[in-house]
Amino acid sequence: MKGRLTNLFWFSVDHGPTLMTIGFSSYVIALSQTSKIPTDIVLQWILAILGLLAVSELTERLRRIRRIEENTKKALHTIENKFGERASASSFFMKKLPRLDPYLEKASKVCCTGVTLQKMTREHIHTFAELLQDGALIQIIIVNPDSEAAKQVSEAGVSYPIEMLKANAHSTITNISWLSSLPESKGKIELKMIDEHIHFNTLSIDPDKDRGIIFIEMTSQRWVSRNRPRFELTRRRDHFWFNYFQNQFDKVWDDARPVSLNKVTNSGS
């Protein structure tokens, strides 16, 4: 209620004199056309209209000063966050990732790392299929479900038994195998596994282009909550750290073991 009254007040201040000037001028013109008015009365009305015009001009100046003040406060806040007191972590970390479809729709290269990435491949399988039809390159790294690292991940979770982890990994492999077998595909999808724990999940979209973006999801030491810190990096804004995380993916990719997707497809898995 208070906000509405404040908005109504500033609307009246900003636009009231102008509206009054237009209304009074229209009334005077209409009245002068329908009846005879003494000259001294007309002069008084003209002076009143000029006064309203002067008030309107002052109101416009007040509006400009208020806008300058608001922009100055925003600029000061930005400078303080940059060079003064550190900005709140809540303004940097995200509790969940944004909708990824708008980022993926026009991608020519996608790089993913995660423990199983079952949810990623399941939710975006049709988007990946369209990207492959357009000639995109998709590279995916997951943890070997039969490795000691997978066992450690399972033991760290309160409700993530190793059987579920293996089932999720198998689902990911099946989805990727299906994508790799699409006859109309002009692109390429590759899957690799590592036998070590992944310290963070990544999703890189067009990392080699100026518009590149990387979403980072930090893994927890203990799986006590679904809310894990996530953040995004862009090549234009975060050049150094963007390259850091992309180089991490490239090095892991070089060390990871390729998975033969043709064997999975042919075996009917």
Side-chain angles (χ1 to χ4, degrees), residues 9-249:
F9 169 77
W10 283 111
F11 179 85
S12 301
V13 172
D14 290 340
H15 305 287
T18 302
L19 295 176
M20 290 176 61
T21 301
I22 295 174
F24 188 61
S25 300
S26 301
Y27 170 76
V28 171
I29 293 174
L31 189 62
S32 63
Q33 297 294 326
T34 56
S35 60
K36 295 182 179 180
I37 305 175
T39 303
D40 56 341
I41 299 298
V42 173
L43 292 175
Q44 291 178 8
W45 283 350
I46 292 174
L47 290 175
I49 293 173
L50 291 175
L52 287 174
L53 289 173
V55 173
S56 299
E57 179 63 23
L58 291 175
T59 302
E60 178 62 24
R61 292 186 179 184
L62 176 62
R63 184 188 305 137
R64 292 177 181 177
I65 293 173
R66 186 155 55 90
R67 289 177 181 173
I68 293 173
E69 183 180 0
E70 291 175 354
N71 292 333
T72 302
K73 288 181 178 179
K74 292 180 181 178
L76 179 61
H77 179 70
T78 302
I79 294 173
E80 288 177 345
N81 288 339
K82 181 67 176 179
F83 301 103
E85 184 180 354
R86 180 181 60 82
S88 171
S90 298
S91 63
F92 178 75
F93 290 110
M94 301 177 289
K95 290 186 178 180
K96 63 179 181 179
L97 295 178
R99 286 186 64 252
L100 298 177
D101 288 339
Y103 298 92
L104 291 169
E105 286 175 351
K106 297 182 179 180
S108 59
K109 183 178 181 180
V110 178
C111 306
C112 306
T113 62
V115 176
T116 64
L117 294 179
Q118 183 265 349
K119 183 178 180 181
M120 168 70 70
T121 55
R122 172 174 52 84
E123 291 185 349
H124 301 287
I125 188 169
H126 296 295
T127 301
F128 286 163
E130 292 176 357
L131 293 180
L132 291 172
Q133 291 177 12
D134 295 333
L137 171 63
I138 302 176
Q139 297 176 322
I140 297 177
I141 302 174
I142 65 173
V143 174
N144 182 358
D146 297 321
S147 66
E148 185 65 24
K151 184 179 179 182
Q152 293 175 359
V153 171
S154 175
E155 291 175 349
V158 294
S159 59
Y160 200 17
I162 189 63
E163 293 79 9
M164 181 181 294
L165 187 151
K166 290 183 177 181
N168 288 342
H170 177 77
S171 175
T172 297
I173 296 171
T174 301
N175 289 335
I176 296 175
S177 300
W178 178 80
L179 288 169
S180 68
S181 65
L182 294 176
E184 65 275 19
S185 176
K186 298 178 182 178
K188 184 179 182 181
I189 185 167
E190 300 173 291
L191 173 65
K192 288 189 176 183
M193 291 185 180
I194 58 173
D195 296 326
E196 58 187 276
H197 183 67
I198 289 181
H199 297 287
F200 44 81
N201 301 336
T202 64
L203 171 62
S204 304
I205 302 173
D206 287 332
D208 302 328
K209 297 184 178 181
D210 191 47
R211 66 170 183 268
I213 185 170
I214 301 179
F215 294 100
I216 312 294
E217 181 181 56
M218 309 304 295
T219 58
S220 304
Q221 191 72 21
R222 294 292 184 273
W223 297 83
V224 295
S225 172
R226 291 182 178 271
N227 292 329
R228 288 177 282 170
R230 301 169 173 91
F231 59 94
E232 70 173 36
L233 301 172
T234 65
R235 176 173 290 280
R236 293 179 179 176
R237 182 189 60 206
D238 314 294
H239 185 75
F240 177 84
W241 291 111
F242 184 96
N243 287 336
Y244 173 85
F245 282 99
Q246 186 57 35
N247 288 337
Q248 287 285 297
F249 175 87

